[in-house]
Amino acid sequence: MARIDDDIHDAGSTPRAFTLVEVPLETVPADLAVVTPPASEKRRRGDVFRPGPGPMVQFQGVIKRYDGDVRGLDGVSVSIAAGEFVFLVGQSGSGKSTFIRLCIRELRATSGHVIIGGRDLGELKRSKVPYLRRAIGCVFQDFRLLPDRTASENVAYALQVTGHSRQEVNRRVPEILALVGLDGKGDRLPRELSGGEQQRVSIARALVNQPRLLIADEPTGNLDPDTSQGIMDLLTRINRTGTTVLVATHDRDTVDRMQQRVIALHKGRIVRDAEGGYNEDPGDTGEIA
Amino acid sequence: MRLGMFFREALRSIRANAAISVAATVTALIAVFILGAFIPSFMYVRSAVSAQTSKVDVDVYISDTASVKQVNALRDKIGTLKTDGQVAEFTYVSKDDALRLMRERLRDPSVLDELPSNPLPAKFNIQPTDPANANAIVAAVKDDAALDPTEGIVYPQTTADRLLTAAKFVQWAGFALIGILLVAAVLLIGNTIRLSIFARRREVEVMRLVGATNWFIRWPFMIEGVICGLVGAVVAVAMLWGIKVGVVDAWASGADTALTKTGSAGGAIAFPLLTVVLVGAGALLGAVGSGITLRRFLRI
């Protein structure tokens, strides 16, 4: 059994995911580079959940049963390499949300293994779960912003939680807001921002701790097509910096346009795993409880 | 730096949920006020009971026919008990003394003038060092020749026993009541803070999502609870002080009542100490109340 805790306590210095030096694409704006943390950044004991080599996300025969006999996932095995951009598609109830909640250990697998960054989450102590979550950025359909805090404060919160100094918070928050295209809007409250802008704040919050894995659950579910396009472009840019991006969606147009790897779930099983578009639904079109 | 941040978060939460914060503060105020009124009352009653208990004394009545020699023998016997440490003090009350005392006690002493002779026997009044010694003292003198055959020895055996039982009961009942009050206060404050947490459960959800540790989430809430508890306690202490100065002290100095006599000064708790106890209790109530309530919200 791997000693997960030992690894977490090991605070050696490795290149962070957000180093943008090798990125060859012109689409990445130059200002992205400023997000690279300084070498002097403070590391705290137990503060680091550092993914090892190998796949970023690995499911091995994962079964998740809810109370009663409701099956969230019914034997899912899949592997997502570091740096991939993957769509997770399927109807409501197909198991997309279960898949995502297993990745951040909001749920535990009934059987099988969920391995993130080389660590089996089934063996992760509960007290270490916060450190796992800091290594994963999460974006949701409903943004999950704190309504009584400005955009800046919402992003700053994720930094304060990880124990960054106020100077560092003051330095990094404007940078990351500029990166997601919210330059100058840091003082606005969420209700003063459009849906697309709120989702950008939520992405900024997910990115500010430089996660190696970004998970987005229906990030464009509440947005119009043009705004959705902007959000997907932002996620693509983030992926090009080396961050693994996993997007759960049932937005057929977006998936067809992006032509990325698509994992299709149906009734808790993987029914397709290939590059390309959304494709036809293999099963019936009714809602599955 | 972190403590400052937690403090700011707590103040932000108090401002954002002003109504709930006021409710929690008032809950703490009521709890501390009841506690603050109860503790001195309890201690007063306890000291009054123990004052009564110490007043148990033994009267040894002397026969009118007893000779001076016999009376002196009895006096020596009691004197020995005093040397042994069982008797604190004893006094001889002659027949004339007894009649005089009776005369003082009666509302209409003229009835005594009707008496052809003094019917009251002389006696030794014995104060035991401890009420529990009364039985031993009685055993030592009960067969003495000088004893009055009809009156013999009079001492409040049952009264002494009852007082001792009452003193113990008052003590334990008091502690139990204080315990119940504290538990009730913790639950009340916890319940009020639960409202605050419920109003902010989305916030807690977001905190967990971005990787906040449970203690990181807990601190601001506990500080919030402590602030509400402290403010409530300080107001309660101010109210108690007002009542003490305005009502209790005035009443106690005004009349030389039986109650103020029985309650010895040593039995009452000093007000500064009471303040410290109550303010500490308020802070603790707030912290424990919110800490317990948070447990539910921090699973997973």
Side-chain angles (χ1 to χ4, degrees):
Chain A
M1 191 204 293
R3 292 292 300 127
I4 293 155
D5 302 332
D6 293 346
D7 279 350
I8 291 172
H9 286 276
D10 171 22
S13 60
T14 28
R16 297 297 216 107
F18 241 91
T19 312
L20 300 175
V21 186
E22 310 116 330
V23 179
L25 288 146
E26 289 172 5
T27 45
V28 181
D31 61 0
L32 263 171
V34 297
V35 185
T36 309
S40 63
E41 185 183 324
K42 262 197 264 174
R43 313 291 288 269
R44 284 187 172 75
R45 200 177 118 86
D47 207 355
V48 185
F49 185 97
R50 210 157 23 81
M56 181 61 71
V57 179
Q58 207 174 356
F59 275 48
Q60 295 175 346
V62 173
I63 295 173
K64 174 64 195 177
R65 278 196 198 85
Y66 293 105
D67 291 342
D69 205 27
V70 184
R71 291 188 176 196
L73 285 184
D74 193 8
V76 165
S77 295
V78 71
S79 178
I80 298 171
E84 271 195 275
F85 191 113
V86 178
F87 281 114
L88 193 61
V89 303
Q91 299 162 329
S92 308
S94 60
K96 296 196 303 285
S97 290
T98 304
F99 190 101
I100 280 171
R101 295 177 70 195
L102 283 165
C103 287
I104 56 174
R105 244 214 41 190
E106 251 184 42
L107 296 174
R108 297 179 81 149
T110 310
S111 70
H113 298 280
V114 176
I115 299 160
I116 303 291
R119 298 202 175 102
D120 191 332
L121 299 193
E123 291 167 12
L124 191 68
K125 275 199 231 159
R126 185 187 282 193
S127 61
K128 299 295 175 197
V129 169
Y131 305 110
L132 166 75
R133 300 210 176 131
R134 291 172 195 183
I136 302 175
C138 275
V139 174
F140 293 92
Q141 179 174 7
D142 56 357
F143 318 136
R144 301 211 185 162
L145 299 175
L146 301 174
D148 60 337
R149 290 170 204 240
T150 65
S152 289
E153 287 172 336
N154 265 284
V155 176
Y157 194 79
L159 281 175
Q160 288 165 346
V161 156
T162 43
H164 288 81
S165 69
R166 209 189 304 190
Q167 295 92 310
E168 189 140 11
V169 171
N170 291 340
R171 186 179 62 77
R172 266 160 80 169
V173 169
E175 283 175 10
I176 202 87
L177 282 175
L179 165 68
V180 298
L182 288 174
D183 220 350
K185 291 185 175 170
D187 292 338
R188 307 235 186 132
L189 289 170
R191 64 167 175 275
E192 296 165 344
L193 295 169
S194 72
E197 286 169 333
Q198 288 185 53
Q199 193 58 293
R200 283 168 192 271
V201 174
S202 133
I203 291 172
R205 183 181 63 194
L207 284 181
V208 77
N209 276 315
Q210 293 142 350
R212 301 287 281 272
L213 173 62
L214 181 72
I215 296 178
D217 190 3
E218 303 277 3
T220 58
N222 284 346
L223 306 175
D224 62 62
D226 283 351
T227 317
S228 299
Q229 176 75 58
I231 294 294
M232 293 315 298
D233 288 349
L234 178 57
L235 292 178
T236 307
R237 269 165 57 202
I238 290 160
N239 173 241
R240 286 183 184 149
T241 68
T243 306
T244 313
V245 175
L246 174 63
V247 181
T249 186
H250 55 236
D251 182 349
R252 185 180 298 263
D253 293 344
T254 300
V255 176
D256 283 343
R257 190 176 54 242
M258 306 271 293
Q259 293 293 308
Q260 298 279 6
R261 179 177 172 192
V262 176
I263 299 168
L265 284 168
H266 182 72
K267 292 187 175 177
R269 289 173 186 274
I270 293 180
V271 291
R272 193 169 75 90
D273 183 357
E275 288 209 5
Y278 195 100
N279 272 24
E280 288 300 306
D281 261 329
D284 55 34
T285 49
E287 289 276 301
I288 297 147
Chain B
M1 177 246 137
R2 283 196 134 196
L3 194 68
M5 196 194 110
F6 291 140
F7 215 81
R8 280 197 301 279
E9 291 289 321
L11 288 179
R12 173 201 277 273
S13 156
I14 287 176
R15 248 181 289 122
N17 305 294
I20 291 168
S21 304
V22 168
T25 306
V26 170
T27 310
L29 191 160
I30 293 169
V32 171
F33 184 84
I34 292 174
L35 202 64
F38 181 77
I39 288 176
S41 312
F42 161 60
M43 297 189 78
Y44 177 82
V45 168
R46 204 169 65 145
S47 80
V49 167
S50 70
Q52 286 298 333
T53 312
S54 69
K55 279 183 187 158
V56 170
D57 52 5
V58 180
D59 282 335
V60 178
Y61 289 96
I62 299 159
S63 165
D64 285 353
T65 58
S67 68
V68 175
K69 200 177 167 188
Q70 282 174 318
V71 173
N72 283 339
L74 180 59
R75 186 199 302 272
D76 291 346
K77 204 184 271 181
I78 298 168
T80 319
L81 289 173
K82 189 177 177 183
T83 336
D84 292 349
Q86 288 184 300
V87 170
E89 253 178 274
F90 70 99
T91 47
Y92 176 72
V93 182
S94 70
K95 282 177 74 75
D96 290 344
D97 290 341
L99 189 65
R100 190 170 41 77
L101 285 170
M102 173 76 86
R103 204 180 285 279
E104 279 172 15
R105 220 177 292 164
L106 286 176
R107 195 174 299 162
D108 180 14
S110 60
V111 293
L112 296 177
D113 298 337
E114 310 287 322
L115 292 170
S117 64
N118 182 356
L120 298 173
K123 68 175 181 182
F124 281 107
N125 176 259
I126 305 170
Q127 274 153 21
T129 45
D130 188 294
N133 291 340
N135 283 326
I137 294 165
V138 171
V141 298
K142 74 170 190 285
D143 294 326
D144 196 272
L147 252 58
D148 183 287
T150 47
E151 300 279 358
I153 303 167
V154 172
Y155 81 108
Q157 163 71 64
T158 48
T159 316
D161 287 350
R162 273 191 205 140
L163 278 173
L164 283 171
T165 318
K168 267 186 200 139
F169 175 78
V170 165
Q171 183 154 331
W172 288 114
F175 287 144
L177 268 172
I178 289 176
I180 291 168
L181 276 174
L182 283 175
V183 169
V186 163
L187 291 179
L188 274 173
I189 292 183
N191 222 9
T192 316
I193 287 173
R194 182 201 302 268
L195 290 175
S196 165
I197 295 167
F198 199 70
R200 295 167 60 198
R201 67 190 185 286
R202 195 179 169 79
E203 203 163 325
V204 172
E205 199 178 295
V206 171
M207 289 173 183
R208 295 223 318 258
L209 197 70
V210 297
T213 56
N214 280 353
W215 272 108
F216 191 92
I217 298 170
R218 207 174 274 142
W219 271 117
F221 283 106
M222 292 189 73
I223 292 173
E224 185 182 342
V226 168
I227 291 175
C228 291
L230 277 179
V231 172
V234 166
V235 175
V237 166
M239 286 166 66
L240 287 167
W241 190 77
I243 290 172
K244 175 186 151 62
V245 170
V247 182
V248 180
D249 286 356
W251 172 71
S253 64
D256 193 22
T257 60
L259 264 175
T260 52
K261 270 184 186 166
T262 44
S264 67
I269 185 169
F271 199 78
L273 176 64
L274 182 67
T275 303
V276 170
V277 167
L278 292 182
V279 170
L284 205 67
L285 289 179
V288 173
S290 56
I292 288 176
T293 313
L294 268 168
R295 283 165 50 103
R296 261 195 58 218
F297 290 84
L298 293 179
R299 301 246 171 85
I300 299 176

